Amino acid sequence: MNTPHLHTIGIDLGDRNHHICVLDESGDVIREFSIRNEREALALLSSQYPTALIAMEVGAHSPWLSRYLEGRGHRVIVANARKLRLISQNERKCDQRDAVLLARLARADENLLHPIQHGSEEAQRDLLQIKLRDNLVRQRVDLISGVRMTLKSLGIKTSSPKTTAFAKKVRCELHEQGYEEELALITPVLVVIESVNEQIKELEKDIEKMAAEKYPECEFLRQVSGVGLLTSISFVLTIGDPNRFSKVRDVGAYLGLVPRRDQSGDCDKQLRITKAGDSYLRRLLVGSAQYILGPFGKESDLRQHGLELAARGGPRAKKKAVIAIARKLSVLLLGLWKNESLYEPVRKAA
C-alpha cells in the first residue's frame, strides 16, 4: 500500500522546461506551471513542497534529476515510458496533460507506472564512456563506407583490410596504382579515420583499466567463450546489483530477450521479442551468441543447444536460435556473477 503524502507532483521532462502538476492530499489539482531545466528552479520547487511524492517518465534527464530530488528528501518514481500507453497514445496529448496523468497515477497506485531504478552516478559515467566508444566505432564504419563508395564510383577497387589499418592500406594502394588525384580527394577523410582510431584505442585502454580496478567481477563473466571485456563490463554496469532479481531467469525479460505475448482465449500468437531494457547490452549479447554459434565458437552445452534449435528448421530458425542463446547467456552470466562460480562449458555426465 502506498504511503500517503501531503503533495504528489507529476513532472513532464523537457530539454528546456519541465511542466509541473501538483496534487493535494485529497487528489485535487492545486497548481500547474512550468519551470526551467535548472537546479536552482528544482531547488525552489523542492522547498515549496518538501517531502512530496514525485513522478516522472524515464528520459535523458531522469537519471540526474531523480538523484538530485531524492537527495533533497523526496520519494521519486521514474516511470517506464514503454508501459504508459495511457499517456503516449492519449488523443489530446500535451505536456500539461502528461504531468497531470503522472501525478494521478502515482497517487492512485505506483505500480501502474512500472517504476524503474536508475543506477548510481558513477556507474552512469562509466557506462557512458563505453557507449561513447561505441559511437566512435559506428562513425568510423560510416567514414570507411563513404571512402569505399567514393572510390567505387570512380572505378577504383580496394582491398578489405583490418579496420584499424584501412587508412594506411588505402594510401599505399592508391599511391602504387598512380591515383594521386583521387588520393588527395579522400585524404581529409583518411586523416579523420586515423584520428578516430587513436581515440578508440585510448578509450579501450581506459575501459580495460577501469574494469581491472573497479569491476573485478567481470572476470567471472569472461570465463564464457565469446564474452569479452565490453560485454562483461556493460552487463555489470547495466544490471548493477546481481541480487535485484529473485530468479536469475528474470534477467532475460529485463533485457528484452523474451517474446511478446498477445493471448486471448485459444489464440496465443507467436510474436517477436519485446526489446525492452538497454539496447546496447542486448546487441552485445546477441553478438556474443552469434560468435558462440559460429565457426569459431568453442564446444559447450550452450553452443550445442543453439545448434539443435537452428537444426529444427522452419522460418527464421537460425535467428530464433541466436536470440534463445543470447537469453540463456544472460541467465548464465548473472548466475556466474551472483554465485562467483567457475564456468563449466560442458557439464560432466551424471
Side-chain angles (χ1 to χ4, degrees):
M1 185 176 180
N2 298 343
T3 304
H5 290 77
L6 184 61
H7 296 103
T8 304
I9 301 176
I11 304 181
D12 185 74
L13 304 181
D15 287 334
R16 295 184 178 181
N17 299 294
H18 305 316
H19 291 272
I20 311 294
C21 172
V22 183
L23 305 181
D24 61 15
E25 195 171 9
S26 60
D28 296 324
V29 177
I30 59 174
R31 192 180 176 194
E32 292 184 79
F33 59 104
S34 63
I35 62 173
R36 297 287 295 173
N37 184 20
E38 299 171 351
R39 283 179 170 81
E40 293 78 8
L42 293 167
L44 179 59
L45 174 68
S46 175
S47 61
Q48 291 174 337
Y49 305 99
T51 67
L53 174 65
I54 299 177
M56 65 184 70
E57 279 188 315
V58 65
H61 296 287
S62 63
W64 74 266
L65 204 150
S66 61
R67 286 194 294 264
Y68 179 77
L69 291 174
E70 285 174 350
R72 296 186 65 90
H74 296 276
R75 185 156 180 272
V76 181
I77 304 172
V78 181
N80 187 342
R82 292 170 58 97
K83 302 290 187 179
L84 298 182
R85 294 190 178 184
L86 175 65
I87 294 177
S88 61
Q89 297 183 3
N90 193 327
E91 294 180 353
R92 300 183 63 192
K93 187 181 186 305
C94 64
D95 295 340
Q96 292 82 357
R97 290 181 179 274
D98 293 351
V100 173
L101 286 173
L102 284 169
R104 294 200 180 282
L105 288 172
R107 184 180 180 278
D109 187 351
E110 297 173 12
N111 292 324
L112 294 174
L113 295 172
H114 299 272
I116 66 171
Q117 184 67 41
H118 285 304
S120 65
E121 183 176 0
E122 182 183 14
Q124 182 186 2
R125 289 179 181 275
D126 292 341
L127 191 57
L128 283 175
Q129 188 175 7
I130 296 170
K131 292 188 176 181
L132 286 173
R133 178 235 171 234
D134 180 62
N135 288 335
L136 286 178
V137 170
R138 289 174 174 240
Q139 291 175 18
R140 181 175 63 183
V141 171
D142 292 339
L143 290 169
I144 291 175
S145 298
V147 171
R148 287 188 181 280
M149 292 302 298
T150 299
L151 295 177
K152 185 181 292 186
S153 66
L154 296 173
I156 302 173
K157 294 183 179 180
T158 58
S159 59
S160 300
K162 190 177 179 180
T163 304
T164 53
F166 176 80
K168 182 179 180 181
K169 187 68 174 178
V170 168
R171 276 199 181 94
C172 293
E173 290 181 357
L174 294 183
H175 182 71
E176 292 173 356
Q177 298 175 28
Y179 293 117
E180 299 298 335
E181 185 177 352
E182 290 77 3
L183 177 58
L185 176 65
I186 64 171
T187 293
V189 184
L190 296 180
V191 172
V192 175
I193 292 174
E194 289 174 331
S195 176
V196 172
N197 284 338
E198 290 299 320
Q199 296 300 323
I200 292 174
K201 189 181 298 184
E202 290 300 319
L203 278 173
E204 288 174 345
K205 290 180 181 178
D206 293 341
I207 293 170
E208 185 79 45
K209 182 180 178 181
M210 177 177 64
E213 294 179 353
K214 298 171 63 176
Y215 305 102
E217 56 267 36
C218 291
E219 291 303 318
F220 290 104
L221 280 59
R222 295 177 70 175
Q223 296 178 93
V224 183
S225 175
V227 176
L229 170 65
L230 293 176
T231 304
S232 61
I233 193 170
S234 298
F235 189 89
V236 169
L237 288 171
T238 302
I239 301 302
D241 180 9
N243 297 312
R244 65 186 300 179
F245 303 102
S246 57
K247 299 178 181 178
V248 291
R249 294 185 62 181
D250 293 340
V251 70
Y254 177 77
L255 297 174
L257 290 168
V258 296
R260 299 174 183 270
R261 193 172 187 190
D262 184 10
Q263 186 267 338
S264 179
D266 295 332
C267 179
D268 195 355
K269 302 176 183 177
Q270 296 294 319
L271 304 175
R272 297 178 182 271
I273 59 174
T274 62
K275 294 186 178 181
D278 189 89
S279 59
Y280 177 65
L281 177 56
R282 185 168 57 253
R283 177 155 53 88
L284 289 175
L285 289 171
V286 169
S288 297
Q290 289 172 334
Y291 178 87
I292 291 171
L293 295 177
F296 301 105
K298 295 183 179 180
E299 187 62 32
S300 65
D301 293 338
L302 199 61
R303 172 181 169 84
Q304 185 60 36
H305 177 69
L307 294 177
E308 290 174 359
L309 291 176
R312 293 178 183 177
R316 303 190 304 274
K318 187 174 181 180
K319 291 183 179 180
K320 290 180 179 179
V322 169
I323 296 300
I325 295 306
R327 181 169 59 249
K328 279 186 169 292
L329 179 61
S330 67
V331 176
L332 172 62
L333 295 180
L334 183 61
L336 292 174
W337 179 16
K338 195 172 184 178
N339 301 322
E340 297 185 353
S341 55
L342 296 177
Y343 171 58
E344 296 181 10
V346 180
R347 293 183 181 181
K348 297 179 181 179

